[in-house]
C-alpha cells in the first residue's frame, strides 16, 4: 500500500507542477477558471513585495489579508511571478497530502479508506485547480487541515503545545479571511452539536436495551 500512496503523491505532484507552469503562461488552459482571481492575487503580492515596509505590513494585517503578506514575502525572497505563486500552491498541496494521510491513519481507518481519501484529495477536479494556481482558497484549506490534525492530536495526547497550535491556526484563518472564519466557527459548532446529539442518543439506546 505504501507504494500506492507514493505513486499517488508523485502523480498528483507532477500533474500540479505541469498545470502551475502551463496556466501561468496560458490562463485559458483551464478555460479561464480562477485565472482572474489568481492574477489578482499575484498582482497584490507583487505590490507588497515592491513596497515591503513595516507600515505596509501593519496595513495588510489590519485588512486581514494574510495571504497577500505571505505571497509578498515569497516574491520578495524569490521572484514576483505567477509561476512562483502557482508553485507555492503546489507546495502547500504536497504538505497537505502528508497531513491528510496522518489524519486518516490517526483515525485508524482501513488502508483502503486511507487510499480512497487520498485519491479524492489528489484527483478531485476542484482541488486540482485550487492547488495549481495562486489562490487564497488553497492556503485556507491548508490551515483547516492543520487545525484538524492538531485537534485530533490534542484529543489523543492532551498536550498544551497542540492546543496552542490549534488556536494559532484559528488565528491564521481569521487573518486570511475573517468572513470565512466566522462561518467556519458556526459550522464547527453545529457539527459538534450533531456529534453530541448522536452520542447522547446512542447512550440512551444502550441504556434502554439493558431493561
Amino acid at each position: 500500500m505504501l507504494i500506492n500512496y507514493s505513486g499517488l503523491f508523485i502523480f498528483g505532484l507532477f500533474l500540479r507542477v505541469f498545470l502551475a507552469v502551463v496556466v501561468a503562461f496560458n490562463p485559458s488552459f483551464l478555460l479561464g477558471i480562477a485565472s482572474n482571481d489568481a492574477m489578482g492575487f499575484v498582482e497584490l503580492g507583487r505590490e507588497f513585495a515592491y513596497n515591503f515596509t513595516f507600515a505596509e505590513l501593519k496595513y495588510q494585517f489590519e485588512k486581514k489579508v494574510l495571504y497577500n503578506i505571505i505571497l509578498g514575502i515569497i516574491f520578495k525572497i524569490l521572484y514576483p511571478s505567477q509561476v512562483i505563486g502557482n508553485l507555492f500552491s503546489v507546495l502547500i498541496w504536497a504538505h497537505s497530502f502528508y497531513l491528510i494521510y496522518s489524519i486518516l491513519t490517526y483515525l485508524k481507518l482501513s488502508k483502503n479508506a486511507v487510499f480512497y481519501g487520498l485519491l479524492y484529495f489528489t484527483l478531485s477536479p476542484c482541488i486540482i485547480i485550487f492547488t495549481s494556481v495562486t489562490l487564497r482558497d488553497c492556503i485556507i484549506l491548508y490551515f483547516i487541515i492543520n487545525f484538524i490534525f492538531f485537534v485530533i492530536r490534542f484529543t489523543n495526547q492532551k498536550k498544551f503545545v497542540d492546543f496552542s497550535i490549534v488556536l494559532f491556526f484559528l488565528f491564521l484563518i481569521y487573518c486570511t479571511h475573517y468572513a470565512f472564519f466566522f462561518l467556519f466557527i458556526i459550522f464547527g459548532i453545529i457539527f459538534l452539536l450533531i456529534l453530541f446529539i448522536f452520542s447522547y442518543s446512542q447512550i440512551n439506546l444502550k441504556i434502554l436495551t439493558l431493561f
Side-chain angles (χ1 to χ4, degrees), residues 23 54 66 102 140 144 157 179 187 200 207:
V23 171
F54 178 77
L66 180 63
S102 300
I140 291 175
I144 291 173
Q157 301 180 6
F187 281 105
Y200 182 75
I207 294 173

Side-chain angles (χ1 to χ4, degrees), residues 5 8-16 87-100 118-123 127-128 130-132 138 141-142 145:
Y5 296 150
L8 192 60
F9 172 77
I10 293 170
F11 176 78
L13 182 65
F14 275 97
L15 174 63
R16 284 164 173 80
L87 291 176
F88 174 59
S89 294
V90 175
L91 182 64
I92 290 174
W93 173 84
H95 189 235
S96 298
F97 185 96
Y98 166 74
L99 289 173
I100 289 179
L118 293 172
L119 182 68
Y120 175 80
F121 185 66
T122 302
L123 299 181
I127 296 177
I128 288 175
F130 288 162
T131 56
S132 300
C138 179
L141 177 62
Y142 178 67
I145 293 170

Side-chain angles (χ1 to χ4, degrees), residues 56-71:
E56 183 64 20
L57 178 64
K58 181 182 177 183
Y59 175 69
Q60 294 288 337
F61 263 117
E62 290 173 350
K63 287 176 62 180
K64 308 292 189 302
V65 285
L66 180 63
Y67 184 60
N68 297 352
I69 297 173
I70 295 172
L71 207 56

Side-chain angles (χ1 to χ4, degrees), residues 174-194:
Y174 174 74
C175 291
T176 306
H177 197 316
Y178 68 91
F180 176 83
F181 169 79
F182 290 112
L183 287 174
F184 179 67
I185 294 298
I186 291 170
F187 281 105
I189 292 172
I190 293 172
F191 177 72
L192 289 175
L193 286 174
I194 292 172

